[in-house]
Amino acid sequence: MAIIQRYFNAIIISLVAAILGLKILVAPVIGLANNGDFVRIMEDAELKYLSKDAEDMYFNYVNRTFSISPQLPITTEKYFSSTNLFVKASVWINKLFVNDTYDIRILGAIHLILFLLSFYILLRLLSYTKYKYISAILFFLIYCDIGYFSYFNSFYSETTSFIFFIFTILFFLKIINDSKYSYLNFLFFFISSSLFITAKSQNSPLGFLISIYLIRLIWNYRQRLKQFLLLLMSILTLGISILVYNNTSGTVMQINKYDSIFSSLIKYSEHPEEDLKKLGMDPKYALLKNTAWFSKNKPMELEEEFFKQLEKTSVPQIAFLYANDPSRLFKVVNNNTDQLYGLRPDYLGNFEKKENMPKGKSHFNDLWSSFKKNVLGKLPWFIYLYFTMYFCVLLFKYYKSKESSQKIKLEGIAILGIMSIVQIVVSIIGDGTNELEKHLFLFNVIFDSTVFISILWLYQKLANVFKLNYCKV
């Protein structure tokens, strides 16, 4: 037992590395099929499919190998994501061995190494053995779920968002808990949060919250240099968030606005024609209710005038209609709770075709994601009850707390809850309910982080009752 306690970190990291490594790196590999989003990343990395069969390329199967060769761009607009950095790094590593064929497992290995590093930092942050055990179990159950690691062998930006959101939380904890290497922690926090924000334009609203919270942290330090660093990071984070949002391509913005209006806003509206008038669009387009941009056999042809009107609409206009009648937003949430907790869209496969594996999803280590989707997804009231209790407990603890450091932690935990809610609102207003499961991926990452913290807090209370050895939250 003493040996296990002494080498616990190495043992648990090795076990997780072996389990996930077998699924990510050893055939038949697990990944996530392309829904059409890969092209933006693949073009920049000069990758293209070996097969020309659409059934092989999209939705059904994972492609493990690709051709490395310059190609004429399919899209006319430049797309930037921090994901590009890791894909290009994997291509460079691949070329050290093979010049013309790319194996996506190299990218999967990079993702896995970064993920294991985040797990190691978490374990190092925990001081007491009893607390370390429960944290390791929770981390494996929640974050090693296939709903997360299936993204590792893919070009989706969700992987970058997931990994660097965890790093952002961890380095925040190190900043407020650790003074020995605090300046390095500041640097790593800024790098992690920047890579997280720039992964997807959908992440930019959370950058604004991070920027505000960094301003709040200034009052926690007396050293002028630390105050200056926090102010500088806040300004840079705000600037990066604005740039990321404004960098959203016109085509992507058009698609998102269409889906937001027709698959969500007027889908649940009692007066869709009136809503379209308020958006500056012809009421006749109400016929497009409950359709998505890529829907086939739309009830009417989309002429040039439609696209002109759609281009003139804005996200603030859509947000105003929801703000003017918040019951619309609740209606959307209540009618889509089955998609609220789904990490992997049901229509995307996890297997390679040549491995003679069936189409569809793998169910390896999907206990947590299945529980959320099949149990919580059938309880529309749960999300409201959970966050009501979450914030009530935080307010009570904040009121009772006398130490400023403890209040800083509680404020950070509250920010996580706010981020979860913001992600739901941003996804619905910005993208509608089409592909809602995928758009709410980050909501699930943050929600699961609040669950992780909540369970550790409950463990702490039980430890008090039963006199267990624990680490305070």
Side-chain angles (χ1 to χ4, degrees):
M1 191 66 181
I3 294 176
I4 293 176
Q5 290 182 4
R6 184 176 179 181
Y7 298 104
F8 179 78
N9 289 2
I11 293 171
I12 197 68
I13 292 292
S14 298
L15 284 173
V16 172
I19 293 170
L20 298 189
L22 283 172
K23 293 298 178 179
I24 295 169
L25 305 177
V26 180
V29 299
I30 285 178
L32 198 61
N34 181 11
N35 72 342
D37 286 351
F38 285 11
V39 63
R40 296 174 294 186
I41 299 293
M42 289 175 62
E43 278 186 357
D44 195 50
E46 299 184 338
L47 299 173
K48 63 180 181 181
Y49 281 100
L50 294 174
S51 170
K52 293 184 180 180
D53 187 342
E55 185 173 329
D56 293 344
M57 293 190 292
Y58 303 107
F59 304 113
N60 300 310
Y61 301 105
V62 173
N63 284 264
R64 178 162 53 87
T65 54
F66 299 81
S67 170
I68 303 176
S69 61
Q71 56 185 309
L72 292 174
I74 299 172
T75 58
T76 58
E77 297 167 308
K78 191 71 174 177
Y79 176 77
F80 174 77
S81 165
S82 52
T83 301
N84 295 57
L85 302 175
F86 301 100
V87 175
K88 284 186 174 182
S90 68
V91 172
W92 181 81
I93 294 171
N94 192 104
K95 286 182 176 179
L96 296 176
F97 305 97
V98 182
N99 272 322
D100 56 353
T101 305
Y102 171 80
D103 193 320
I104 201 171
R105 288 181 296 180
I106 296 176
L107 180 62
I110 291 173
H111 289 149
L112 179 59
I113 291 168
L114 289 169
F115 177 72
L116 293 173
L117 178 60
S118 71
F119 191 16
Y120 175 74
I121 293 172
L122 173 67
L123 293 175
R124 286 293 301 270
L125 278 170
L126 303 173
S127 304
Y128 296 89
T129 302
K130 295 288 185 180
Y131 206 75
K132 188 179 293 186
Y133 289 159
I134 186 67
S135 297
I137 293 169
L138 282 176
F139 192 92
F140 181 79
L141 178 66
I142 295 174
Y143 296 113
C144 295
D145 188 283
I146 191 173
Y148 287 125
F149 80 78
S150 61
Y151 281 85
F152 287 13
N153 275 334
S154 79
F155 297 121
Y156 290 115
S157 294
E158 276 76 5
T159 316
T160 313
S161 298
F162 167 56
I163 292 172
F164 285 99
F165 182 78
I166 294 176
F167 273 121
T168 300
I169 294 176
L170 293 173
F171 284 114
F172 160 73
L173 291 173
K174 286 179 75 67
I175 285 173
I176 62 176
N177 288 323
D178 184 11
S179 59
K180 187 176 180 181
Y181 301 108
S182 57
Y183 293 110
L184 275 179
N185 292 333
F186 276 66
L187 176 62
F188 291 140
F189 173 84
F190 177 70
I191 292 172
S192 299
S193 59
S194 297
L195 290 170
F196 161 68
I197 295 165
T198 54
K200 293 187 71 173
S201 59
Q202 185 183 345
N203 301 356
S204 58
L206 303 190
F208 298 124
L209 290 174
I210 292 172
S211 178
I212 293 169
Y213 191 58
L214 288 171
I215 293 290
R216 164 65 183 92
L217 284 177
I218 291 175
W219 279 268
N220 197 48
Y221 293 99
R222 294 182 179 180
Q223 301 97 320
R224 294 291 180 133
L225 181 56
K226 287 185 179 180
Q227 290 178 337
F228 171 75
L229 287 174
L230 286 167
L231 179 61
L232 180 62
M233 286 195 300
S234 175
I235 295 171
L236 291 174
T237 300
L238 180 62
I240 290 169
S241 301
I242 294 171
L243 285 173
V244 169
Y245 181 79
N246 290 335
N247 190 52
T248 306
S249 73
T251 302
V252 172
M253 187 64 77
Q254 286 281 82
I255 295 171
N256 291 345
K257 284 192 293 185
Y258 183 102
D259 290 343
S260 177
I261 294 168
F262 297 103
S263 76
S264 180
L265 181 68
I266 70 168
K267 177 181 178 180
Y268 299 101
S269 173
E270 296 177 0
H271 308 287
E273 291 85 1
E274 290 298 316
D275 289 336
L276 289 173
K277 280 184 180 180
K278 291 175 183 177
L279 292 172
M281 298 188 73
D282 195 315
K284 71 178 182 180
Y285 297 128
L287 287 173
L288 296 169
K289 178 178 180 178
N290 199 23
T291 65
W293 178 274
F294 292 106
S295 294
K296 297 179 180 179
N297 303 318
K298 291 185 176 69
M300 64 187 299
E301 291 294 323
L302 303 183
E303 71 279 12
E304 186 179 351
E305 181 59 29
F306 170 83
F307 294 105
K308 287 181 179 178
Q309 292 181 22
L310 182 63
E311 187 174 1
K312 290 179 180 178
T313 63
S314 66
V315 174
Q317 281 181 296
I318 299 170
F320 177 79
L321 290 178
Y322 278 111
N324 196 43
D325 183 9
S327 64
R328 293 169 179 258
L329 196 60
F330 291 111
K331 189 181 292 184
V332 175
V333 173
N334 294 341
N335 281 279
N336 292 277
T337 49
D338 59 324
Q339 296 187 66
L340 197 63
Y341 306 100
L343 287 169
R344 296 173 294 159
D346 289 331
Y347 56 84
L348 296 180
N350 290 133
F351 303 107
E352 292 181 79
K353 184 177 182 178
K354 66 179 183 180
E355 296 295 344
N356 298 317
M357 301 296 286
K359 289 183 183 179
K361 299 166 72 172
S362 168
H363 295 285
F364 173 80
N365 195 34
D366 68 345
L367 181 64
W368 176 243
S369 55
S370 294
F371 169 76
K372 287 196 299 179
K373 186 177 178 65
N374 298 327
V375 178
L376 302 186
K378 295 178 181 179
L379 306 173
W381 50 265
F382 175 80
I383 194 73
Y384 305 109
L385 176 64
Y386 175 78
F387 279 114
T388 298
M389 294 177 63
Y390 182 84
F391 287 113
C392 283
V393 170
L394 285 175
L395 283 171
F396 177 76
K397 286 176 70 67
Y398 193 85
Y399 175 76
K400 297 284 287 184
S401 178
K402 303 298 181 184
E403 299 177 6
S404 61
S405 61
Q406 182 68 7
K407 288 188 174 183
I408 287 288
K409 292 179 185 178
L410 293 171
E411 289 167 6
I413 295 171
I415 288 287
L416 283 180
I418 294 170
M419 284 181 169
S420 296
I421 296 168
V422 166
Q423 268 302 295
I424 296 176
V425 175
V426 166
S427 296
I428 292 172
I429 293 176
D431 302 296
T433 56
N434 185 47
E435 291 193 315
L436 189 60
E437 283 181 316
K438 187 169 176 294
H439 292 144
L440 286 175
F441 176 87
L442 186 55
F443 157 75
N444 277 279
V445 175
I446 306 170
F447 171 78
D448 287 350
S449 299
T450 68
V451 171
F452 185 91
I453 293 169
S454 299
I455 293 175
L456 291 186
W457 177 76
L458 287 172
Y459 173 82
Q460 176 183 309
K461 294 304 173 185
L462 290 173
N464 279 334
V465 172
F466 296 104
K467 307 300 181 184
L468 297 176
N469 189 23
Y470 66 89
C471 171
K472 290 187 177 180
V473 179

